[in-house]
């Protein structure tokens, strides 16, 4: 008999959760991670409080080449299921914004919860321990690891995505998929700040640090969130969200005064205001933004608004409410919160996450081509895909 029913590679969100579920259902599980510390991404997420799910998470909140793939797992392990687990472990939590749930105290509470769940499943945990190679052997697999050769019936790849290499992210999962003949889709940094050519960005550098609510759109992504100006470009939730939909060469469109009709407001001010345009605009926008914007329209700034042509006011308003700009790039995997793309979901069973080509080989979490919006969705995918796989690995009947 093989010593393990399953080896889970990667003790992050998905790997820990999957190992615990499979172990509690009777599987003999070995969990391996090469990093010195378990679940570093949970630890640093949500400013140390981990935005662990989104109350309203559903398939519409995820990007994938195959958008229906995530439906089954998300339906079978819901945010409410994870909330119930968090409550069973007496971890206090709160809702912050748009359904985003955070720990009251610390992300460490969640890590401790996941480790307790693994203990309850008698999971063997080797960390730090690198895996050098995985190959098929007989009806199962063999792994070369720092602690020697391991034989197992099944292998779960939960090695995450490429963001933040300095805390252990690698392309191991993608390489393993290709080694076994599974297709991968193109990968790119997502939930990431956008950057611009230094010369094009120079007029906006004085705005670094300014944050304001905006409407933003790129490709199929459209959001109403806060935008943050930085020295190199744009960040903040609005830009992180839209970055997942952005492709090089495409513009992003920004409405810097969402919900307002700035053109009509400025035209109406002509009848009642004796101010110059430079003094009128800050009545309707953050003053720093108005000031920086008018340096790009010096001919208007000093003109009394009453003497300014409607056409010029409408153009000024349009430049603010239909601001179209083309990023030169992103801040890359050093700053990205997730990787878009990954193991092609057409290669996997949506019920169990098992490879269709290589029975016994599973992929879960971020390494799979399912990418959530900002706001707890990526952890919900980690839990849901891990639950689908963990239940399939467990020998006990499905609850
Ligand atoms: C700064 C930051 C903040 C975030 N905040 C949030 C948030 O608040 N809410 C949210 O939903 N999402 C958030 N995310 C995204 C979320 O952290 C990930 O989507 C999630 O952790 C993915 O889970 P995973 O288990 O697939 O991968 P990970 O949690 O990244 O775990 C992968 C594990 O595999 C290990 N590993 C990698 N390569 C190997 C190898 N070769 N051998 C052995 N082990 C290996 C790694 O050490 C790691 O422990 C954030 C991400 C970042 C970077």
């Amino acid at each position: 008999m093989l010593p393990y029913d399953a080896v889970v590679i990667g003790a992050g969100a998905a790997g820990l959760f999957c190992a615990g579920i499979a172990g509690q259902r009777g599987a003999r599980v070995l969990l391996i991670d090469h990093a010195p510390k378990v679940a570093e991404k949970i630890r640093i997420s949500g400013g140390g409080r981990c935005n662990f799910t989104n109350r309203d998470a559903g398939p519409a909140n995820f990007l994938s080449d195959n958008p229906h793939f995530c439906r089954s797992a998300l339906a079978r392990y819901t945010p409410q299921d994870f909330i119930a687990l968090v409550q069973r472990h007496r971890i206090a939590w709160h809702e912050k914004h748009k359904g985003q749930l955070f720990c009251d105290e610390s992300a460490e509470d969640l890590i401790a919860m996941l480790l307790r769940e693994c203990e309850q499943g008698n999971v063997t945990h080797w960390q730090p321990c690198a895996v050098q190679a995985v190959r098929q052997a007989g009806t199962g697999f063999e792994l070369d690891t720092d602690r020697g050769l391991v034989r197992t019936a099944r292998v779960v790849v939960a090695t995450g995505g490429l963001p933040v290499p300095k805390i252990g992210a690698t392309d191991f999962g993608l390489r393993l998929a290709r080694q076994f003949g599974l297709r991968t889709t193109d990968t790119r940094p997502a939930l990431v700040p956008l950057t611009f050519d230094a010369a094009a960005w120079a007029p906006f550098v004085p705005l670094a640090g300014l944050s304001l609510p905006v409407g933003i759109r790129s490709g199929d992504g459209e959001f109403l969130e806060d935008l943050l100006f930085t020295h190199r470009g744009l960040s903040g939730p609005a830009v992180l969200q839209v970055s997942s939909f952005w492709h090089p060469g495409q513009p992003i469109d920004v409405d810097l005064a969402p919900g307002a009709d700035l053109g009509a407001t400025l035209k109406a001010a002509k009848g009642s205001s004796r101010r110059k345009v430079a003094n009128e605009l800050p009545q309707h926008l953050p003053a720093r933004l108005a000031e920086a914007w008018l340096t790009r329209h010096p001919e208007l700034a000093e003109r009394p608004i009453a003497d300014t042509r409607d056409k010029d006011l409408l153009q000024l308003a349009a430049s603010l409410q239909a601001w179209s700009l083309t990023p030169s790039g992103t801040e890359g995997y050093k700053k990205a919160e997730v990787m878009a793309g990954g193991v092609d979901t057409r290669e996997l069973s949506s019920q169990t996450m098992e490879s269709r080509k290589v029975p016994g080989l599973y992929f879960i979490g971020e390494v799979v081509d399912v990418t959530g919006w900002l706001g707890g969705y990526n952890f919900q995918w980690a839990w849901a895909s891990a639950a689908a796989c963990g239940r399939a690995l467990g020998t006990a009947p499905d609850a």
Side-chain angles (χ1 to χ4, degrees), residues 264-274 305-307 310 313:
T265 306
L266 293 176
K267 265 169 60 181
K270 282 176 72 168
S272 56
S273 170
R274 301 163 70 119
I305 191 158
D307 300 341
D310 285 358
L313 291 176

Side-chain angles (χ1 to χ4, degrees), residues 1 30 33 53 100 105 128 137-138 152 175 273 284 290:
M1 189 166 79
L30 169 64
D33 198 298
T53 190
Q100 300 168 7
E105 297 292 327
T152 176
R175 280 194 281 120
S273 170
H284 312 288

Side-chain angles (χ1 to χ4, degrees), residues 9-15 32-35 39 41 44-46 50-51 129 131 158-160 164 167-168 170 172 336-338 364-367 376-379 382:
I9 310 175
I32 302 182
D33 198 298
H34 69 151
K41 283 207 182 148
I44 62 170
S45 67
C50 187
N51 177 195
C129 175
V131 178
T159 48
V164 203
I167 57 167
T170 68
F172 186 79
E337 283 202 11
V338 281
I364 58 173
E366 196 179 318
V367 72
Y377 302 100
N378 284 295
F379 280 131

Side-chain angles (χ1 to χ4, degrees), residues 48 55 75 117 165 189 200 204 248 257 288 345 350:
R55 200 194 272 291
E117 290 286 317
F204 306 106
R288 272 175 80 193
T345 57
S350 62

